[in-house]
Amino acid sequence: MATKRVKRNCGEKKVQNEPDIMAEDRISQLPDSLIHYIFSFLPTIHLVRMSRVSRRWRRMWVSTPFLYFDCQFNDVTFTKQVNRLSMFLKFLGNCLRCRKLYMQPDTFITSLKLHTYYKLGRYAAQRVDNWVRFAIQSKVKELDLQVRGYCTPPFVYTASSLMQLKVHMGSEVASLSTSSSLTHLELRGLKLEVRFLSKFPSLKVLSLISVESNYESFQNLISGCPIIQDLHLLDPKEIHPMHGYLCRLDISNIDFPAKTLKTLSLFSVTCADQRLECLISGLPLLERLTLICFYGVNISILSHSLKYLSFDPFGDNTKAKFVTPNLVYLYLRCRVSWIISIEAPNLFQGDLSLSDGGYKSASYFDLVHFLANLNGLKKMKLSIVWDEDMIFPEDIRNTSSPPLPNLKHLEASLYDKHKKNSELHEFLVWCAPSVETVKINGESYCKY
Amino acid sequence: MSEGVMAVVKPEMKSYIWLQTADGSIQQVEEEVAMFCPMICREILQTGMGSSKNYAISLPQRVNPAILGLILDYCRFHQVPGRSNKERKTFDEKFIRMDTKRLCELTSAADSLQLKPLVDLTSRALARIIEGKTPEEIRETFHLPDDLTEEEKLEPLRNITDDPRIRLLNRLYARKRKELKEREKLKNVEVEEDRVDERSVEDLLTFINGGDGDSKGVRSNKNKKKNRRRKDHLKDSSSNSVNGNHNKELDALSSACHDGEVNNMASASKNSKLKDSTSVSFSPKLEFDDGDMDDDLDPAMKEELDREVEDFARRLNSDWPERMQEILSLGEGRLVPISMNGNGSTHRYTKCAAAALSELEEMRA
């Protein structure tokens, strides 16, 4: 029975036998730690199967310091959710019990990941608490709890060995306080509360995604991170102080004391214009900036250090100006008329997704002017809701100079794919006289 | 950035670093490409080696010239600062397409050079390869020695897969699954919706991080394997609960039905269950390779086994003791299909026990 093949759902083909007779065992040359690392990408339950492969792998599922418990049951048909959850919990419990059985008592766990979409009852939550406590006692470094409705116990936040913490989908308030070892923190889909004077001296990467909180907590958290390098505020919601409803976070009054920021991402955030300008100019090490669904009217980005910029604002009357001498990569998704000027002489690549607002509000000159801003560009991907009227007629072409003289590679994709491409091609070649490769909607056009 | 280390060069001239692999051959490589690799970078900055052929940097033993070529291709692409995340991902996906032997060598070499992004990339690829395979296939793919004795291989399953009823059970489960897929899809809608809500922010994250798409991709491939895993696990975990409730169930069962058949079945299953209980003590190792296999049993035996299996299956999800009391107090004899694992079933069953069980299911549904 052990040798019989099983009909598989996944349809994966049997690997062809390698032709060489001297079949060499390559994976055994990898050290244990590397094999554990490879295994860490798979849920532990897959590894149980590995115990039948070879002697070396026999106890790998027990000795691996990466524990990953996932409970996706997409192909299995059960009517009751509680069955799945209790199966999941039973397996987890048994796994940890086995671990205690087989391993030395002081073995470390490097990472524990629990992913379940099924809501835990009180009893189950207590068991999870115990397991998390066990992991922390085993000096876990990375904890990833994506357990719906689970309230992370407070001892997690103060665990001394914990370096990376990810909590998704908690239902109750996550209350953060000082943690000296945490380097990566990702909170998603929960309510946050941060006490005054909380310190996170080692925190380098902070991601708050769909987090609800009040203004003070956000400020406390951001002020408490002196060496932060990556900050992602994606869809943060603030409880309006007066009215009590949730609204978009306004970071105008939030102070960012740490000047070590290298990456900043703001999604669905508002900020007063002057404040944004101050903020960005005041970050001397900022290399990557992403502003998406950003509300602003006169946006001006001045930064010497900025290398990568992604800009996708939201609004009707936005105007933007970039003074970024070292910018290497630009992603723009906006209307042509919104960009006043871009000063980026070293720009290497741009991904532009342009629309004219649907009211033909952009004139030809706007477009030329806009493209001329990018005249240092070597490589561009242009994705446009293009109207044929946007293609300049001959006379205008004769009076203007080609806006993109240095462009070498151009890829354009049009929203409406049925339009004739040849005219567009001609126009693009005029825009970029020294272009070497042109692709329109995935088809390459030979220049000559 | 790195220009200070090497001698001042004219803008047209590139500076090269010399690298020596374990077999003695020496290669030269553009400086910025070599600097992308932390170990080489450190060697250059700390010891000043690599500037000429005589002072080539020796690479760790696990790096051979062919693999070094691949690694340098990787470095050459990624060290260019202006590339978008999408481009890098596309390159990575193409880059990783090679046979497994090469992939293992590459992982090993990247690890010794401490090139973490490449280690991640190759490890994920190897994990994806391992994911969908049976142990035999894995052994074949990686040419691992088959050095476990038969006993050892079966150790976790020894007392489970030997049991023909469990095999029958597997088949029943498999059939059940196919029958009830539609019903399940309806009930799953609620669960699915919650996941859909997070989509937009997921996309954004992928966009920002550029690399997160990978982890999700790995996850989605696991679904089909989860199928078997979960089925197995369920059986296993349930068999645990079976043993606990063992005696009580049988007593209750025999008192509920005066059918001689049932009594026989009960006692027969009791015997074999007792034999099993000791071995199913801890249950995390789950494997049933032969879910779809046909057993060579004569029909009579098969029938009896079928009945035993049904009984066994019924217990898998029921909170037998409490429910039994409720059922006994109702005591009607309707013939409604029983379910296994809470799903509807159209299997044969003995009348009395079935009737009792039908009540149970109605209450649970």
Side-chain angles (χ1 to χ4, degrees):
Chain A
M1 87 227 87
T3 54
K4 294 255 180 181
R5 293 245 166 247
V6 177
K7 267 187 270 186
R8 298 204 165 273
N9 297 340
C10 72
E12 200 162 315
K13 288 217 189 98
K14 200 169 115 162
V15 173
Q16 299 301 324
N17 279 324
E18 295 219 309
D20 48 347
I21 304 161
M22 302 270 291
E24 283 169 68
D25 166 16
R26 288 290 166 184
I27 203 168
S28 287
Q29 288 178 8
L30 301 179
D32 267 4
S33 57
L34 204 48
I35 296 197
H36 282 152
Y37 187 65
I38 294 172
F39 282 176
S40 71
F41 293 109
L42 300 175
T44 307
I45 201 161
H46 280 57
L47 306 185
V48 173
R49 186 201 320 201
M50 306 302 166
S51 61
R52 298 185 48 201
V53 173
S54 80
R55 188 171 292 277
R56 186 182 178 201
W57 289 28
R58 193 153 153 248
R59 295 276 180 244
M60 284 259 174
W61 68 274
V62 175
S63 63
T64 177
F66 300 95
L67 299 175
Y68 178 5
F69 299 102
D70 196 337
C71 91
Q72 293 202 10
F73 299 98
N74 295 352
D75 276 355
V76 192
T77 57
F78 300 113
T79 48
K80 301 255 189 289
Q81 288 189 358
V82 71
N83 290 346
R84 293 183 243 202
L85 183 62
S86 62
M87 270 170 32
F88 173 72
L89 294 175
K90 268 190 182 132
F91 175 63
L92 220 168
N94 284 331
C95 208
L96 291 179
R97 206 175 306 142
C98 264
R99 216 186 150 75
K100 284 183 191 161
L101 208 63
Y102 282 114
M103 301 292 290
Q104 304 296 328
D106 54 357
T107 322
F108 295 162
I109 294 181
T110 307
S111 114
L112 173 64
K113 294 192 208 176
L114 295 181
H115 293 180
T116 160
Y117 291 103
Y118 304 108
K119 202 163 151 93
L120 298 182
R122 197 165 60 89
Y123 176 59
Q126 279 177 5
R127 293 175 75 190
V128 175
D129 278 351
N130 286 336
W131 292 326
V132 171
R133 190 177 290 119
F134 168 66
I136 289 182
Q137 282 163 0
S138 312
K139 309 255 186 327
V140 69
K141 288 205 183 118
E142 180 190 334
L143 198 50
D144 181 351
L145 302 173
Q146 298 187 18
V147 181
R148 187 133 60 111
Y150 175 64
C151 181
T152 320
F155 58 75
V156 168
Y157 297 114
T158 51
S160 59
S161 62
L162 197 60
M163 286 172 62
Q164 298 197 19
L165 177 61
K166 234 193 236 190
V167 180
H168 288 192
M169 297 189 292
S171 69
E172 301 182 30
V173 180
S175 190
L176 293 185
S177 49
T178 302
S179 166
S180 48
S181 58
L182 216 52
T183 58
H184 287 64
L185 179 61
E186 182 178 319
L187 300 175
R188 177 166 170 173
L190 42 76
K191 301 190 179 83
L192 182 64
E193 179 190 296
V194 184
R195 304 226 165 78
F196 184 58
L197 292 184
S198 297
K199 292 276 175 262
F200 304 92
S202 324
L203 196 63
K204 287 207 186 129
V205 176
L206 175 62
S207 302
L208 300 178
I209 305 166
S210 300
V211 164
E212 292 172 18
S213 186
N214 53 19
Y215 166 77
E216 286 80 21
S217 290
F218 281 119
Q219 176 68 80
N220 287 339
L221 181 53
I222 293 176
S223 319
C225 307
I227 62 162
I228 189 148
Q229 285 182 6
D230 287 10
L231 177 61
H232 304 282
L233 290 177
L234 309 182
D235 196 22
K237 292 259 191 306
E238 181 186 6
I239 299 172
H240 196 276
M242 279 196 289
H243 307 295
Y245 57 78
L246 287 176
C247 58
R248 209 170 289 111
L249 181 65
D250 185 349
I251 58 170
S252 313
N253 295 322
I254 293 190
D255 191 29
F256 289 74
K259 300 302 171 198
T260 46
L261 259 184
K262 279 197 189 157
T263 307
L264 177 62
S265 308
L266 300 173
F267 174 76
S268 187
V269 163
T270 34
C271 189
D273 300 325
Q274 263 83 359
R275 183 70 191 112
L276 183 70
E277 191 181 322
C278 262
L279 171 64
I280 294 177
S281 335
L283 294 171
L285 298 177
L286 192 67
E287 281 179 17
R288 287 178 193 260
L289 178 63
T290 305
L291 297 175
I292 299 193
C293 203
F294 184 80
Y295 288 71
V297 179
N298 281 310
I299 300 175
S300 130
I301 296 179
L302 287 79
S303 169
H304 273 270
S305 52
L306 203 62
K307 290 203 185 133
Y308 298 81
L309 174 62
S310 302
F311 187 68
D312 181 357
F314 193 95
D316 274 336
N317 295 318
T318 310
K319 293 273 178 247
K321 173 175 151 183
F322 307 140
V323 176
T324 48
N326 286 316
L327 198 69
V328 167
Y329 172 81
L330 176 64
Y331 170 84
L332 271 186
R333 200 187 134 114
C334 59
R335 293 192 205 156
V336 171
S337 52
W338 287 356
I339 306 289
I340 300 178
S341 75
I342 302 176
E343 206 180 291
N346 288 325
L347 197 60
F348 182 79
Q349 177 167 340
D351 284 351
L352 311 178
S353 182
L354 306 174
S355 63
D356 65 350
Y359 306 111
K360 305 215 170 117
S361 53
S363 67
Y364 300 134
F365 294 107
D366 276 343
L367 188 59
V368 167
H369 175 70
F370 168 71
L371 289 176
N373 275 315
L374 307 170
N375 59 6
L377 213 52
K378 301 268 181 338
K379 203 169 161 186
M380 175 157 86
K381 270 196 198 154
L382 190 61
S383 149
I384 27 193
V385 181
W386 196 277
D387 205 327
E388 271 183 340
D389 292 354
M390 297 275 266
I391 300 179
F392 299 8
E394 284 286 340
D395 49 350
I396 299 193
R397 282 187 228 180
N398 290 335
T399 55
S400 324
S401 56
L404 300 166
N406 296 317
L407 195 65
K408 296 265 182 291
H409 305 282
L410 174 58
E411 244 182 79
S413 51
L414 307 184
Y415 180 67
D416 185 349
K417 308 227 164 154
H418 299 298
K419 302 261 182 182
K420 268 213 289 201
N421 288 340
S422 50
E423 288 173 16
L424 177 63
H425 177 246
E426 220 185 285
F427 170 63
L428 290 175
V429 170
W430 170 80
C431 281
S434 52
V435 74
E436 285 166 20
T437 63
V438 179
K439 264 194 198 177
I440 299 184
N441 284 343
E443 288 167 31
S444 286
Y445 277 71
C446 224
K447 193 184 173 190
Y448 299 106
Chain B
M1 187 178 39
S2 59
E3 286 90 25
V5 175
M6 307 312 297
V8 173
V9 288
K10 299 191 203 110
E12 308 87 51
M13 254 178 63
K14 274 193 191 167
S15 55
Y16 288 85
I17 303 285
W18 300 85
L19 304 170
Q20 183 176 31
T21 45
D23 61 351
S25 61
I26 300 181
Q27 275 191 42
Q28 74 172 20
V29 127
E30 298 93 334
E31 189 190 344
E32 61 266 10
V33 174
M35 293 292 264
F36 190 73
C37 176
M39 199 217 86
I40 298 180
C41 189
R42 216 179 339 181
E43 279 286 316
I44 296 178
L45 293 176
Q46 286 179 358
T47 65
M49 297 268 282
S51 48
S52 72
K53 203 162 182 180
N54 296 332
Y55 295 103
I57 297 176
S58 357
L59 297 177
Q61 200 207 1
R62 287 189 267 167
V63 186
N64 62 45
I67 295 296
L68 179 63
L70 281 176
I71 294 184
L72 293 176
D73 285 341
Y74 181 86
C75 293
R76 194 169 289 120
F77 182 86
H78 281 278
Q79 56 90 18
V80 177
R83 302 207 196 272
S84 67
N85 281 339
K86 198 166 164 207
E87 262 186 270
R88 290 181 199 262
K89 271 195 77 182
T90 321
F91 173 84
D92 283 348
E93 276 158 31
K94 279 199 208 136
F95 182 75
I96 212 66
R97 284 190 219 152
M98 58 181 82
D99 57 285
T100 19
K101 186 169 120 185
R102 209 55 109 68
L103 202 53
C104 290
E105 285 178 355
L106 188 58
T107 314
S108 177
D111 180 53
S112 60
L113 291 174
Q114 295 159 5
L115 194 53
K116 189 160 192 315
L118 188 54
V119 175
D120 276 355
L121 180 63
T122 46
S123 299
R124 276 185 213 267
L126 282 170
R128 272 195 294 261
I129 291 175
I130 289 175
E131 186 182 11
K133 294 188 160 47
T134 62
E136 288 78 23
E137 285 170 351
I138 293 178
R139 243 180 267 131
E140 227 171 300
T141 317
F142 295 109
H143 304 291
L144 290 168
D146 192 356
D147 54 2
L148 290 171
T149 62
E150 284 301 309
E151 286 173 4
E152 284 171 329
K153 270 192 208 169
L154 300 173
E155 180 202 308
L157 328 162
R158 171 179 31 179
N159 299 298
I160 302 175
T161 43
D162 272 335
D163 189 343
R165 287 164 302 160
I166 304 292
R167 276 180 284 178
L168 277 174
L169 203 56
N170 287 338
R171 279 190 296 141
L172 290 171
Y173 275 54
R175 256 176 271 164
K176 212 107 303 132
R177 235 176 291 123
K178 283 177 209 151
E179 284 170 19
L180 301 164
K181 210 155 192 180
E182 288 316 312
R183 205 186 296 183
E184 192 42 42
K185 271 199 187 117
L186 286 172
K187 292 202 179 168
N188 260 341
V189 166
E190 195 196 299
V191 176
E192 295 289 324
E193 270 172 17
D194 290 312
R195 287 192 226 157
V196 168
D197 284 340
E198 301 172 11
R199 248 337 116 184
S200 57
V201 188
E202 297 281 355
D203 288 342
L204 178 75
L205 278 179
T206 320
F207 169 78
I208 285 179
N209 295 332
D212 275 347
D214 249 348
S215 58
K216 291 184 178 51
V218 176
R219 198 180 295 156
S220 59
N221 289 337
K222 294 173 193 155
N223 298 340
K224 304 220 167 118
K225 281 308 113 202
K226 285 288 173 217
N227 190 3
R228 284 179 64 239
R229 294 291 100 223
R230 291 305 162 209
K231 158 191 88 174
D232 301 339
H233 179 67
L234 169 72
K235 232 182 327 260
D236 221 63
S237 57
S238 311
S239 55
N240 273 340
S241 55
V242 165
N243 295 318
N245 294 329
H246 201 80
N247 293 325
K248 226 170 163 185
E249 296 162 20
L250 288 173
D251 290 340
L253 187 58
S254 44
S255 63
C257 327
H258 302 292
D259 190 348
E261 263 189 358
V262 176
N263 273 334
N264 276 342
M265 169 178 73
S267 49
S269 31
K270 184 175 184 172
N271 290 335
S272 43
K273 285 291 178 307
L274 283 174
K275 189 178 73 174
D276 278 338
S277 61
T278 50
S279 48
V280 191
S281 47
F282 71 89
S283 60
K285 299 156 193 163
L286 331 149
E287 235 174 273
F288 297 88
D289 280 327
D290 46 2
D292 292 322
M293 195 186 75
D294 274 318
D295 292 308
D296 316 327
L297 304 163
D298 62 316
M301 172 75 162
K302 204 165 178 180
E303 241 199 42
E304 194 192 303
L305 284 176
D306 262 334
R307 268 182 262 118
E308 289 182 18
V309 164
E310 263 128 31
D311 183 54
F312 180 76
R314 263 178 247 131
R315 293 192 196 131
L316 291 180
N317 280 329
S318 55
D319 302 324
W320 193 263
E322 309 101 67
R323 300 293 186 164
M324 210 49 220
Q325 301 306 312
E326 296 173 77
I327 293 162
L328 290 177
S329 59
L330 289 175
E332 282 189 48
R334 265 174 290 163
L335 296 182
V336 173
I338 26 163
S339 43
M340 290 199 327
N341 305 339
N343 296 340
S345 150
T346 51
H347 255 48
R348 299 177 282 120
Y349 48 85
T350 57
K351 277 189 197 165
C352 294
L357 263 298
S358 68
E359 286 301 327
L360 177 77
E361 287 316 315
E362 288 217 10
M363 281 189 287
R364 278 154 56 79

